[in-house]
Amino acid sequence: MPLKTPEQYVDSLRALKIRAYVGGERVEEPIDHPLVAPHVNNAAQTYTLAHRPEHEDVMTAVSHLTGERVHRFTHVFQSSDDLVKKIQMLRLLGQRTGTCFQRCVGLDGLNAVYAISYEVDQGEGTDYHARFRRYLERVQAEDLMLAGAMTDPKGHRAKRPSEQDDPDQFVRVVKRLPDGVVIRGAKLHNTGGINAHEVLVMPGTALRPEEKDYAIACAVPADAEGVIFIFGRQTNDRRKLEGGCDIGNPRFGAVGGESMVVFDDVFVPNDRIFMNGETDYCGTLVTYFATWHRSNYGGCKGGNADVLIGATAKMTRMLGTERNAIVRDKLIEMIHLTETTYASAIGASAMGYALPGGSYMVEPMMANTVKQNITRNIYQIARLSHDLAGGFVATMPEETAFENPEIGEYLRKYHTANPEFDVMERVRFGRYIENMTSVTTMVEAMHGAGSPQAQRIVMLGQAGIDKKIELAEQVIHGTDDVAGLPLPGRSERES
Amino acid sequence: MPLKTPEQYVDSLRALKIRAYVGGERVEEPIDHPLVAPHVNNAAQTYTLAHRPEHEDVMTAVSHLTGERVHRFTHVFQSSDDLVKKIQMLRLLGQRTGTCFQRCVGLDGLNAVYAISYEVDQGEGTDYHARFRRYLERVQAEDLMLAGAMTDPKGHRAKRPSEQDDPDQFVRVVKRLPDGVVIRGAKLHNTGGINAHEVLVMPGTALRPEEKDYAIACAVPADAEGVIFIFGRQTNDRRKLEGGCDIGNPRFGAVGGESMVVFDDVFVPNDRIFMNGETDYCGTLVTYFATWHRSNYGGCKGGNADVLIGATAKMTRMLGTERNAIVRDKLIEMIHLTETTYASAIGASAMGYALPGGSYMVEPMMANTVKQNITRNIYQIARLSHDLAGGFVATMPEETAFENPEIGEYLRKYHTANPEFDVMERVRFGRYIENMTSVTTMVEAMHGAGSPQAQRIVMLGQAGIDKKIELAEQVIHGTDDVAGLPLPGRSERES
Amino acid sequence: MPLKTPEQYVDSLRALKIRAYVGGERVEEPIDHPLVAPHVNNAAQTYTLAHRPEHEDVMTAVSHLTGERVHRFTHVFQSSDDLVKKIQMLRLLGQRTGTCFQRCVGLDGLNAVYAISYEVDQGEGTDYHARFRRYLERVQAEDLMLAGAMTDPKGHRAKRPSEQDDPDQFVRVVKRLPDGVVIRGAKLHNTGGINAHEVLVMPGTALRPEEKDYAIACAVPADAEGVIFIFGRQTNDRRKLEGGCDIGNPRFGAVGGESMVVFDDVFVPNDRIFMNGETDYCGTLVTYFATWHRSNYGGCKGGNADVLIGATAKMTRMLGTERNAIVRDKLIEMIHLTETTYASAIGASAMGYALPGGSYMVEPMMANTVKQNITRNIYQIARLSHDLAGGFVATMPEETAFENPEIGEYLRKYHTANPEFDVMERVRFGRYIENMTSVTTMVEAMHGAGSPQAQRIVMLGQAGIDKKIELAEQVIHGTDDVAGLPLPGRSERES
Amino acid sequence: MPLKTPEQYVDSLRALKIRAYVGGERVEEPIDHPLVAPHVNNAAQTYTLAHRPEHEDVMTAVSHLTGERVHRFTHVFQSSDDLVKKIQMLRLLGQRTGTCFQRCVGLDGLNAVYAISYEVDQGEGTDYHARFRRYLERVQAEDLMLAGAMTDPKGHRAKRPSEQDDPDQFVRVVKRLPDGVVIRGAKLHNTGGINAHEVLVMPGTALRPEEKDYAIACAVPADAEGVIFIFGRQTNDRRKLEGGCDIGNPRFGAVGGESMVVFDDVFVPNDRIFMNGETDYCGTLVTYFATWHRSNYGGCKGGNADVLIGATAKMTRMLGTERNAIVRDKLIEMIHLTETTYASAIGASAMGYALPGGSYMVEPMMANTVKQNITRNIYQIARLSHDLAGGFVATMPEETAFENPEIGEYLRKYHTANPEFDVMERVRFGRYIENMTSVTTMVEAMHGAGSPQAQRIVMLGQAGIDKKIELAEQVIHGTDDVAGLPLPGRSERES
């Protein structure tokens, strides 16, 4: 069956011999490193839940390529219903892990390449799409985890790829060979890369005709020669070395275990190349990816927020404030902010439409509102959680202090609030709240799938300002051709 | 055919001889009164557009009672798709009229009575549902406009119906006769009542067993004996007597032409009674109505906002500010606020589910976020529109001043901004902006379909706080039964 | 004594024979016109309260020119304490009139001309300052009301005065004579102009050397030949013709009774000219005026908000909702938004500093934050007031309907909430809330003393970004020369 | 001279032999511990800057007790000017350290005890005030750092001190002896306690007559028998053990190095007791302290925000985005949010008034708005900083990775943005932004000086709702006794 078990997932990662640096040092088996393991656990949950009958409907789908039931994270969206189910899957997983489970980037990436390769072929007479379908069949059959890699370093932000002092600030082809190409550059903020099977490389920006070398989409095995993963540092990451509840979410960590992936002159054979020089299509590819990805945030962050709201609500019970009307109203506000983005993500999915290649795109305006609201709401949710959780989130000592025989008793005594609850439960929940409102978490919500201004530019483009002006003119002038009652008073002039 | 033309609609209103007070005085033909006529025009648009082939899909539906194509405003929601199309119809009409077109209250009211009468019959062995289906067949066949009437005066807000000093503060049965009942009381904020064919009376609150007399749902012809319409006053309403562009939206007015409907001991025959004393079901009836109705605001206000955004955008062109990046960003914010609520309304509709009687309900949490956001976003949209439109919205003289030969030239000269545009166009657009951000408009958006706190109470109930706490416990304790990698460091304790 | 009584104020207005258009028509005695009279009442309050011993300290000051006690509205700020007292006076008057009392523009205008004429003289060897002092002595001695006139029509907003198709879009000198100049143009949004004694004309923007003709500051009697007042239209203005409580604030109206003042080739004699061609100083003059004026909004709008909060609070008592914790919290939010701006206005005043000519300027950054917050907070305050006041603000009928014997009883019965309160009191308070949240009121708060972006540009200039970067560098590099403990760990590198 | 040098400060701390736990373990010389040292550096800055002539005016004051020039952090506020200078001192120090410098709590504490001891003596015939003045003379003479200790653990938040299961949840007297008392309990969130000379204990809540044992104010040497400091854990605290720029603010740390201070049956001699059983005064004492303290946040957070804004602005230059209009507008918003609270703090100070004992209190309403705005604005400022700084704040590797010869070159290459800037500068600034927007920092801003709801309760009390209702009645009824023009139309009825 094409669904890996979590154990198979872990084993398959071990079989890869990737070059990875964690905590600034080379490590041989990164997935066992305490800084990485929780993220592996988290991705493993996506494999685990797919085997549960009660979640089959949202966690799996029937492949349009093979007719087999595959993991939804390897599925090409075939309908609006598929898009809606994706959002539901994200919320479920967000609820079950309390943070990022990483596979969305690969999912949206494979969908983007699937769609654009079809369009390139149609326009340019190439055969990328068939290649990609063959590649995708293997991905589905082996239930591979792909790390989508789109964000280039970008260098000077006011300059284009071809204008940079350093031409490698965007991933590019540096050598063309009969059987493939050699690429150089890096992709940043690579979610789950260090525990994925493959890296799916895509151009990160619209390109001009003279920027052909940057128009490269391809799949690279995580352990290909020249691929280097440099694991990023997170807020409070070293607490994972201590273990214990100070980690916040000991089992699943926080955010997606982002890496920088360096491509130090990596050879990519032809059958893994899905775009190569077709600059005209890069903007569309980026837009496809970003649009799907922006709608996701209503799902995954919704699920995460469920956990955070639950943690905050329990905190109010542990403090004894849960009956206060204002406290309840603040919980409601957290709920409202969460559900607004979830509802919009569902709306964007339900209004999905077919792309030329037959797969389904979410409604772009709605998808962009989802992400835009996330970049704001997350900070409000954090604020409300801090408000209700109280100041001890900032000042409570480490777990080991609670265990120190000289002071543990004091700490437990004076951190007990409502004595019906175990004091360590209060500590654990405080640490989770700290974790889920940390800078790493917030910044990811801010910049993942594009910074706030990126969404606004799309909105302006989608809004049809000229059409809206026409609507206003029609209403104000009363110039619609529809018959009706005469206008009041001397307004016959107006009609 | 069951679709009235706008002319037939107007003629059918004239055929009714209602008792109405407009501007504080009795009027014989209210629909011709200048204070009322724009609202009639507006409702007439709902009839007009239903005949246009390009709008047939959203403006009409196939009746599940008769199989005939009927106006969507008389249709019982048969699917999620019907719910989505309702929202699209509302946006279309909002774009074409620039303000409220009134028929939603009746639509949601007939759906609420349809659904609840089924449930009452199932629970109590009554036969209200068949009665209502017969009534509804006539409504569909004659394309009647129903004015939904739910909001009671409510007297002292901290007291229940049965605790009021004046027992008539909620509509109630004051006499029971073999062939019907006599009702007394009033319904407030009745949208479109003065130009509707029928008033659909529903209880306005959950009731206790001892409050049976208040549990009355029934349909009353607008010209029934004892029914009195007292037309409300709007911001700037008397400008309609002047005519001209100072009205803002000369053709369609503003908001829904709300009336107080007084029931001064009105007899209702049995075949028009759809609930009578079944207090247990009143809370559900109110919730059904309110939930549908709250989702609407993402549609109609979205369409209205399209017009307002268009008017504001054109204003920036007339001023010469349209290329400024900050100005554009403010337009984008107006768009974002608008589309957020529309997307959520679509989400709520797409997630619709079947009620016991077979019709479809929107997803309640999402529907409530729509309305909650409206109560905030509308004020932000108004603020941004005022910001971009400039101070002249507050100080420009009346249209007649522009026509006065002594001063008209000065006014036109000194109100000309970008001389490529006619100065009177600037005036007209300013007046529309004034109209659409007036107190009447804002307060309707605030309180229609329930005040903000009403939505928050629903959200808390829907949120599943206990379940969220369990999710948090599971994540934080790592107690899910899912196998995975060992937790890092000394956290084996935690598992 | 230099303090006019309100009766003397009114009589002195009558003695002027101004050319005024109200409601689009020429009127002989504008101050008696119902559209104007409430604004006259309001300005009259500034005269009345100055005679009350309990308000002497804030309402009057000792002239630095004559040593006599004069009205504070004619006083040149001599100290930070004077600036603070101005803000207090504005709050007092705002509380006592519930809307705009108009004299601030003239006050800040005379202060701006006082300060800049000194600086022009110092820089250019002119003698404007002595002229202005003589003029000001008369203003103080006669307790004159000046209408400050700064805002030009501005035509195409992306073009400078000298680039406009119509050169009259900014007031300019069209003829220079030995004994004076002739000016042409108009000033917009002129607060209180129609009931002021004099119009104080100032340039409305920074100017370039080639724009000398626009650099004109002068005082013009309200009834000078060629001066024309065209009274603006307000939201609901015609309700003043009906009388009664529907006006909202029957005694004092709303906002400042703004007019367009046209200068149709008006001759200004030399002794009334205080700047004439000195373009270099115009930017500073505008900045002086705007800075003082922006701080005012913390005072006057604070006083107005006190009345609005009081009206809203009483409304909750009349409804029976006043004990609800959420209701109380919303009142608190209204208070918080109000007091934030008042506190900042006091802060700006307390940090005042002496200008070259010896008078006092408010701290510019703080003054700009006041106005910026007003442009946002006013909309939030309106929203909260609408929320608490309820939907009847949008739908209650006119006062005459309550008096109609056929329906008055119904209206009174069904608008009674808490029966301890007279139903008409609820109506009156609803109408005041409508009035104080109307478009005219909001737009004035948005654009008076400069649109939001104008404040932001000043803030950026005042913020010292380069200095802040240096502060950041110093902290982050630890390069301050201050001795201290060694840095932790290997950070000796850092120092 | 009474001003310690920073070296003397450090030496004097060493001379104390306090019992302290850092990182969960007993440490002998806590101030040398890398987790503590930056906080010592920070407090040392308060000593350093006091010696600089250019800062003498804000950093020092003339003691009203001795006439000597003392550190302003030991000074009793003698005037509004003193209150303003305090805020200025806080902003200066905030700018020079980039985070919390800890001495404000002791300053406001000594002022609170000074004021209340006078009032207790006046009301109860005690002699606490003279005792406290003697104590204060020594504090001033030795330039001692006091750690104000007010916040009790509070146990079950819905229960009073006397209702708790554990009576020690609020600090209390457990034994009364002829020469003193024995106290037990703990104080939380104790800023700077671990590097202060003395702990100033104050009751943390209003008390009832039967709660006499909780009404204790006294000074305890930091090394008194039974006093235990348990250092709290901060976000990213262990990075201080690594050293280097990942700390964010390597020299000065983050927030105030908060501890829990346990009083394990500590004997306090009579001459150090300043209140003992006078429950009636505890509410006032808490209010005095909190009011001063809330106004502080406009100063210190203003200074911190200057550094954060500077760091963010420099980041935009390093990225190459600094000329973008929207980027600039976001910096302006950060400035606006900062200056709003600073202006209000100055306003609160300038409106200071004398307490019965002669010292000066800030205006309470304004002071509370300062803190209320901080609890919101800080999150907005963080959001904007994250927005402009970019996603690398969440994903950049540790500094050691940049130094690793195998990967350092890649990291430096691909983190270079505008190549005119050193890549490590970008890293350092990113780390500072991370530090200043961390959970510890945000939660302190949220809960320090009282949680948000605490301020709102004060506001409601201060607002004079009844008076505001009277103002509204007066305006709306036109019932002021002031003469004026007749009201328009038929409104004579109204007067």
Side-chain angles (χ1 to χ4, degrees), chain D residues 192-340:
Chain D
I194 206 162
N195 51 302
H197 303 95
E198 301 254 330
V199 180
L200 185 60
V201 179
M202 295 167 281
T205 187
L207 294 171
R208 294 192 180 152
E210 66 272 23
E211 296 170 326
K212 274 199 180 356
D213 290 344
Y214 296 99
I216 179 72
C218 58
V220 178
D223 59 354
E225 179 74 24
V227 173
I228 306 163
F229 293 92
I230 307 175
F231 200 65
R233 155 156 253 182
Q234 297 188 326
T235 301
N236 287 333
D237 54 353
R238 295 316 198 259
R239 293 190 190 173
K240 294 187 223 168
L241 304 182
E242 305 171 13
C245 77
D246 286 4
I247 299 172
N249 186 340
R251 182 176 186 127
F252 298 120
V255 200
E258 277 73 15
S259 299
M260 173 191 282
V261 192
V262 178
F263 302 94
D264 189 9
D265 291 0
V266 174
F267 174 72
V268 185
N270 286 334
D271 62 342
R272 283 175 160 275
I273 297 175
F274 313 122
M275 172 187 269
N276 186 358
E278 293 80 6
T279 50
D280 283 0
Y281 300 83
C282 292
T284 303
L285 169 55
V286 173
T287 299
Y288 281 176
F289 172 82
T291 308
W292 278 312
H293 209 52
R294 286 171 192 170
S295 72
N296 292 357
Y297 280 71
C300 62
K301 301 298 178 199
N304 292 170
D306 286 330
V307 182
L308 183 60
I309 293 165
T312 308
K314 179 158 174 177
M315 190 66 80
T316 66
R317 293 184 187 180
M318 292 191 282
L319 288 169
T321 58
E322 79 275 17
R323 295 202 182 145
N324 180 287
I326 303 293
V327 166
R328 285 223 306 262
D329 204 58
K330 288 175 179 173
L331 279 178
I332 294 171
E333 185 63 17
M334 296 175 77
I335 293 163
H336 170 65
L337 293 166
T338 301
E339 299 295 344
T340 293

Side-chain angles (χ1 to χ4, degrees), chain B residues 182-244:
Chain B
V182 175
I183 62 174
R184 182 189 301 160
K187 293 286 186 181
L188 302 188
H189 319 313
N190 196 250
T191 300
I194 206 162
N195 51 302
H197 304 95
E198 299 256 331
V199 181
L200 184 61
V201 179
M202 296 168 281
T205 187
L207 293 171
R208 294 192 180 152
E210 67 271 23
E211 296 171 324
K212 273 197 179 359
D213 290 344
Y214 297 99
I216 180 73
C218 58
V220 178
D223 60 353
E225 179 75 23
V227 173
I228 306 163
F229 293 92
I230 307 175
F231 199 63
R233 155 155 253 183
Q234 298 187 327
T235 301
N236 288 333
D237 55 351
R238 294 317 198 259
R239 292 190 191 173
K240 295 187 223 168
L241 304 182
E242 305 170 15

